[in-house]
Amino acid sequence: MSGVADKRNPVLDCCGGLNNVDYSKVDMSVMEDVLKHIDVYDPRFCVAVIAIIFNPFFWNVLIRPHDSQWSQTVGAQTTVARWEHRTRGLTRLFGGPYLACYCLGTLIILLNVYRSHSMTVAMKAQARWEVMASPEVFYTGAALMALGSVLVVTSFLALGFTGTFLGDYFGILMEEKVKGFPFNVTENPMYWGSTANYLGLAFMNASPVGLVLTVVVAISYQVAIIFEGPFTEDIYRQRAQCCKHK
C-alpha cells in the first residue's frame, strides 16, 4: 500500500483528531446531574472510601520489609501475608500455618463485611438518581448481583478457604493451578464477582454514590491484582524449582 493518504478519505492522527474536537459543545448535563446527587464531603461516604481502599492494602501494601534481598525480589513494599511468607511470624504465633491462615482469613472476611456495611450506609444516606429508578435498571442490578454471587461462591468452592485467603503465603500450596469454572471465564473471579455485586447493589438502589464507590472498589482490586499476581506466581515457581532439585 502507498504511504500517501487518500485525499478522498483523509486519515486523522489521534492527536490532531482530538485537537479538532470542540469540547465546549460536549453535553456534560448527565455528569453534572450525577454529581449533584453525590456529597463527597459526607463522613459516611469518606468512611466507605477508606474501608474500600484499606482492605486490599491491608494484605498488599501495608508492611515494608527490612530484608534488602527480599525487597529486590518482590519490590519495595510488602503485605501482612507476604511478611508471613518471609518470616512465618503468624505461623509461630498461632502454632501452625492452617490456624494462622484461618485467623487472617476470618479477619479479611470481617473487614469485607464492614466495607459492605459502610457502602450500604453511604448509599442510603445520599440521594437516589431518578434516571436509575426504573424496573429495567433494578432487574439489571439483580442480574449483576446473581452473576457476582455465582463467581464468588464458585471461586471459593474451587479454591477452598486456604486457597481463597492467601494460604500459599503460609506455605499451604495447591497441587496445581485451578483452571476450571470460574477461572476459565476470568482470572480473578472473586474480585470481579464482588465488584459485580456492588455494581448491582448500586443499580437496585438507584444510587449514583454507589456507582462511584463501585469504581473505587474496581480500582482497588486492580491495584491488588498488580501486587498479588507476580508474587503468587513467584511462590509456585520457587516450589517448582525446589521439586526439580530433589
Side-chain angles (χ1 to χ4, degrees), residues 156 164 230:
F156 180 82
T164 300

Side-chain angles (χ1 to χ4, degrees), residues 104-167:
L104 178 61
T106 301
L107 178 57
I108 292 172
I109 291 172
L110 292 175
L111 288 172
N112 287 341
V113 169
Y114 180 75
R115 175 185 62 188
S116 299
H117 170 72
S118 64
M119 290 179 66
T120 302
V121 169
M123 288 185 204
K124 291 182 177 179
Q126 298 205 24
R128 288 162 56 90
W129 191 22
E130 293 306 317
V131 173
M132 297 175 64
S134 69
E136 293 80 7
V137 173
F138 180 88
Y139 289 120
T140 299
L144 283 170
M145 292 196 70
L147 174 62
S149 297
V150 168
L151 291 176
V152 170
V153 172
T154 55
S155 174
F156 180 82
L157 292 176
L159 295 175
F161 191 94
T162 57
T164 300
F165 295 105
L166 308 172

Side-chain angles (χ1 to χ4, degrees), residues 138-206:
F138 180 88
Y139 289 120
T140 299
L144 283 170
M145 292 196 70
L147 174 62
S149 297
V150 168
L151 291 176
V152 170
V153 172
T154 55
S155 174
F156 180 82
L157 292 176
L159 295 175
F161 191 94
T162 57
T164 300
F165 295 105
L166 308 172
D168 42 8
Y169 291 47
F170 292 83
I172 308 170
L173 304 181
M174 304 186 73
E175 291 300 322
E176 59 183 1
K177 184 177 180 179
V178 177
K179 298 180 180 179
F181 185 82
F183 293 90
N184 57 358
V185 175
T186 175
E187 190 173 354
N188 298 279
M190 185 71 72
Y191 284 165
W192 302 128
S194 296
T195 304
N197 282 337
Y198 291 127
L199 181 59
L201 187 63
F203 279 7
M204 293 178 71
N205 286 278

